[in-house]
Amino acid sequence: MIHCLIIDEMHESIIPMLERISVKADYRPEISRAEILNIIGNYEGLIIRSKTSVDKELLSRAVKLKFIARAGAGMDQIDVEETEKKNILLFNAPEGNRDALAEHCIGMMLNLLNKICISDMQVKKGMWDREGNRGYELKGKTVGLIGYGFMGRAVAEKLKSFGCRVIAYDKYLKKFSYEYVEEVSLEEIFEETDILSLHIPLNEETRRMINEDYFNRFKKNIWLINTARGEILPLDALNKVLKSGKLRGAALDVLENEKLKDLNVQERKNFDELAASEKVLLTPHVGGWSFESYVRINEILVSKIKAANVF
Ligand code: 3PG
């Protein structure tokens, strides 16, 4: 029997699933970072979402740790280099939430192009503006994906039936064209995209990458969907391109700073400007967050831990 510490909220099915592969879990979603640092030395396994950064400090105390399992996709809270030095195995579960993410992403596209949220609010207030709420179709548009991992691929597959062209650029992946998607250069993304959807991880290369210059390289005025990470897209830049018209609309499931109660003065100003725009649709980082994915993430993680044979 090996021991594993769970420091974030997860679906309750994780405990019996782990027991079946001889892992005894301590489920401590309320645990503070200070407590984690105190007790992590006792565990062979750590299961996390995004509550705390798994950095050099934490890893230096994790003397018995054999694996870290991320209940979700993003690994941006983990010092991957340091885990490699310490031979700690890393698992994540994008296979568990890619379908939820892709459905949410396409829901946001349809909503943005058809002004569903805006017209809903208007009708509830007694307004009946049909012309002002005329929509655009996905059919015939070119959807440009930046990043073609699990999430990008799931979005491309689900877009198939909408009659749009799906093109994708991934700096680290080549030769992935197939029936749902056309691999293109970044230049072609800038040249041809109508709707841009971001599916890249957060790291030092992508932080604040989608800035004003980036938007201005697009030939057309575009719509934007961000279901990846907020830190890749600074809100000051976003507000500028919304104002200039380069961006026709933006749907964001993630924000630069998602702790809305703790924004500094500048962040508050940027957020308020964004939230006041009728061209903007916001959801609270729920893209991969379905009832189904809550359980599926556990199944994927447990099967990966089992297959790695860390015992
Ligand atoms: C992910 O990376 O899987 C999603 O963004 C969800 O992240 P969370 O588990 O930190 O809520």
Side-chain angles (χ1 to χ4, degrees):
M1 192 61 108
I2 68 167
H3 291 86
C4 149
L5 178 65
I6 303 178
I7 62 169
D8 277 287
E9 247 168 55
M10 293 184 65
H11 187 270
E12 60 199 18
S13 57
I14 191 70
I15 313 283
M17 283 185 200
L18 285 170
E19 261 168 22
R20 281 199 285 279
I21 61 162
S22 303
V23 177
K24 164 107 185 56
D26 283 344
Y27 184 62
R28 305 275 308 272
E30 307 299 333
I31 193 170
S32 68
R33 181 171 169 92
E35 282 176 279
I36 299 169
L37 293 178
N38 270 338
I39 64 170
I40 190 65
N42 302 326
Y43 293 91
E44 288 92 7
L46 174 66
I47 302 190
I48 61 161
R49 284 197 11 232
S50 48
K51 172 159 108 188
T52 200
S53 165
V54 182
D55 51 14
K56 287 198 178 65
E57 183 190 27
L58 194 151
L59 290 167
S60 70
R61 311 251 186 137
V63 287
K64 287 195 198 166
L65 205 61
K66 291 190 170 143
F67 73 87
I68 300 171
R70 195 315 190 193
M75 304 288 257
D76 40 283
Q77 293 281 25
I78 303 174
D79 185 335
V80 175
E81 219 175 282
E82 196 63 16
T83 58
E84 279 165 7
K85 278 190 212 150
K86 294 184 178 299
N87 286 325
I88 296 170
L89 295 172
L90 288 184
F91 310 110
N92 67 343
E95 302 90 333
N97 59 4
R98 65 179 164 195
D99 291 301
L101 184 290
E103 289 190 19
H104 191 85
C105 179
I106 293 169
M108 290 189 111
M109 269 179 213
L110 294 170
N111 195 325
L112 197 61
L113 268 65
N114 293 288
K115 302 187 181 172
I116 293 173
C117 275
I118 295 171
S119 53
D120 168 65
M121 284 188 289
Q122 291 175 354
V123 174
K124 285 175 180 166
K125 283 188 207 147
M127 281 168 69
W128 195 261
D129 177 10
R130 295 180 72 201
E131 194 47 49
N133 287 304
R134 199 183 278 278
Y136 288 93
E137 297 174 13
L138 268 178
K139 188 177 167 73
K141 301 285 179 303
T142 297
V143 179
L145 308 177
I146 299 289
Y148 198 70
F150 283 95
M151 305 303 165
R153 204 170 317 155
V155 171
E157 285 172 11
K158 290 184 201 304
L159 279 175
K160 189 174 156 36
S161 62
F162 286 95
C164 47
R165 178 176 174 227
V166 183
I167 59 176
Y169 170 75
D170 190 310
K171 191 172 174 188
Y172 298 101
L173 196 67
K174 300 293 160 217
K175 299 202 182 330
F176 58 79
S177 285
Y178 75 134
E179 61 178 309
Y180 309 118
V181 70
E182 231 176 283
E183 178 190 341
V184 294
S185 65
L186 189 55
E187 282 319 309
E188 285 170 277
I189 291 275
F190 290 134
E191 194 72 18
E192 295 174 32
T193 296
D194 295 297
I195 302 157
L196 179 70
S197 190
L198 304 174
H199 301 287
I200 45 180
L202 173 67
N203 53 42
E204 281 328 300
E205 194 182 9
T206 60
R207 193 179 295 279
R208 297 182 70 83
M209 181 177 106
I210 314 293
N211 56 23
E212 207 183 338
D213 287 346
Y214 194 94
F215 283 115
N216 287 327
R217 290 174 71 183
F218 285 85
K219 190 172 154 198
K220 305 180 201 171
N221 293 340
I222 58 168
W223 287 276
L224 167 79
I225 319 291
N226 188 9
T227 53
R229 282 292 179 270
E231 294 95 322
I232 64 182
L233 176 66
L235 292 196
D236 49 358
L238 194 66
N239 283 327
K240 280 189 194 145
V241 289
L242 279 165
K243 212 181 276 173
S244 75
K246 189 75 225 167
L247 255 196
R248 307 176 71 157
L252 313 176
D253 182 48
V254 288
L255 289 173
E256 210 177 1
N257 184 353
E258 295 177 353
K259 296 192 173 75
L260 294 184
K261 292 200 174 80
D262 300 330
L263 301 183
N264 67 32
V265 176
Q266 189 56 47
E267 287 171 334
R268 167 63 51 200
K269 196 170 160 282
N270 291 341
F271 176 76
D272 287 347
E273 186 177 336
L274 185 81
S277 171
E278 287 215 330
K279 296 199 242 169
V280 173
L281 179 67
L282 301 173
T283 52
H285 202 147
V286 287
W289 195 255
S290 63
F291 288 99
E292 292 86 347
S293 74
Y294 206 20
V295 178
R296 203 177 302 125
I297 281 173
N298 291 352
E299 292 164 355
I300 300 284
L301 273 190
V302 172
S303 72
K304 288 186 180 178
I305 296 168
K306 185 175 176 209
N309 210 1
V310 287
F311 315 105

